[in-house]
Amino acid sequence: MARQKKTPARGKPAGGQRSSAAPAGSERPALDAIGSGTDLKRWYWLKAELETFARANGLPAAGQKPELTERIAHWLDTGEVRRPTRRRAESSFDWAKDVLTPTTPITDSYRNTRNVREFMEQHAGARFRFSNEFMAWMRNNTGRPLSAAVDFWRDLDHRKRNDGYREQSLPQNQYAQFSRAVSQARPGISARELRRLWQIKRSGPAPHTYRPGDEYL
């Protein structure tokens, strides 16, 4: 549904009434100066920046960063406000309080809790940690018993101990992907230097992924 767009600060028109072109050059413009979804996606924005912009313009600020980016981009291009889509879990199983056993089926209401951590540490070992791979596996294996989750994590832990294994980063975690690639290209690089390189990388236009030579920006 379309809504009346608010006028941003500094007297700039909003949404489709903005200039269709972002400021020229390689320096990131102010978010208020962005005039289209294409221009929005050309630059790197912190989630907090997107949330602030959304609230200031009457847009829902809920959801993960990719969803929020798409919502703002759609509004910039069309003036329409997309509401977050939330699917209600069919299961009422409480992963924070209910008793967990190896035969407990994974439900669509699954979430990481202290209860789950304690179960996994008891059955998979004290080395257990929540990870991107484990969480994705749990989301994609509704109906399977927790014993299968224990087996999956043990296999994952075994593979992690092998040289050359790299944990998968979530698509939205661009810094993790960038820093991992730079560390491979420049072994021994300090965390401080990684942060410096990322600040340079994210301040420029997309793509915000590693390219050969980024390790010496």
Side-chain angles (χ1 to χ4, degrees):
M1 146 178 154
R3 67 176 291 164
Q4 184 69 33
K5 306 185 193 82
K6 296 184 179 180
T7 301
R10 297 179 294 173
K12 289 187 172 63
Q17 297 177 348
R18 298 186 184 191
S19 169
S20 61
S26 59
E27 291 188 6
R28 193 187 77 158
L31 188 47
D32 282 343
I34 296 297
S36 70
T38 299
D39 290 340
L40 178 75
K41 295 176 183 180
R42 184 170 181 245
W43 305 95
Y44 180 89
W45 309 99
L46 296 174
K47 185 181 179 186
E49 293 177 297
L50 297 173
E51 289 173 335
T52 298
F53 179 86
R55 295 188 183 102
N57 289 280
L59 305 175
Q64 297 297 317
K65 184 178 175 182
E67 179 186 2
L68 183 56
T69 300
E70 289 298 331
R71 186 181 305 136
I72 294 174
H74 181 75
W75 178 76
L76 287 170
D77 289 339
T78 69
E80 289 184 340
V81 178
R82 282 182 175 173
R83 299 293 172 184
T85 55
R86 296 181 179 178
R87 184 178 64 85
R88 286 184 175 273
E90 296 180 0
S91 172
S92 61
F93 189 85
D94 189 341
W95 288 88
K97 298 179 180 179
D98 289 347
V99 176
L100 304 179
T101 71
T103 60
T104 298
I106 301 168
T107 67
D108 62 350
S109 61
Y110 173 79
R111 60 192 180 93
N112 297 332
T113 65
R114 180 177 179 179
N115 194 27
V116 174
R117 177 182 284 110
E118 291 176 348
F119 170 86
M120 292 299 296
E121 288 177 347
Q122 177 184 356
H123 293 272
R127 287 176 51 84
F128 174 77
R129 297 291 185 275
F130 290 119
S131 66
N132 292 334
E133 288 102 330
F134 179 79
M135 291 184 284
W137 189 93
M138 293 294 284
R139 288 194 299 269
N140 294 327
N141 283 274
T142 301
R144 299 191 65 183
L146 279 180
S147 59
V150 171
D151 292 340
F152 171 80
W153 191 87
R154 285 175 174 166
D155 178 66
L156 179 64
D157 185 52
H158 175 74
R159 286 186 281 120
K160 282 185 176 182
R161 297 191 194 197
N162 294 332
D163 292 339
Y165 177 85
R166 295 291 182 272
E167 182 176 346
Q168 298 175 359
S169 298
L170 296 175
Q172 61 265 34
N173 197 337
Q174 293 171 300
Y175 171 68
Q177 295 175 335
F178 178 81
S179 61
R180 181 167 296 145
V182 170
S183 296
Q184 291 177 4
R186 186 178 165 186
I189 187 173
S190 68
R192 181 176 181 178
E193 178 67 358
L194 278 172
R195 289 192 295 270
R196 186 189 72 81
L197 293 175
W198 175 240
Q199 289 291 335
I200 296 173
K201 187 70 175 180
R202 81 177 198 183
S203 67
H208 300 109
T209 54
Y210 170 79
R211 289 182 174 180
D214 283 349
E215 62 271 24
Y216 294 106
L217 287 174

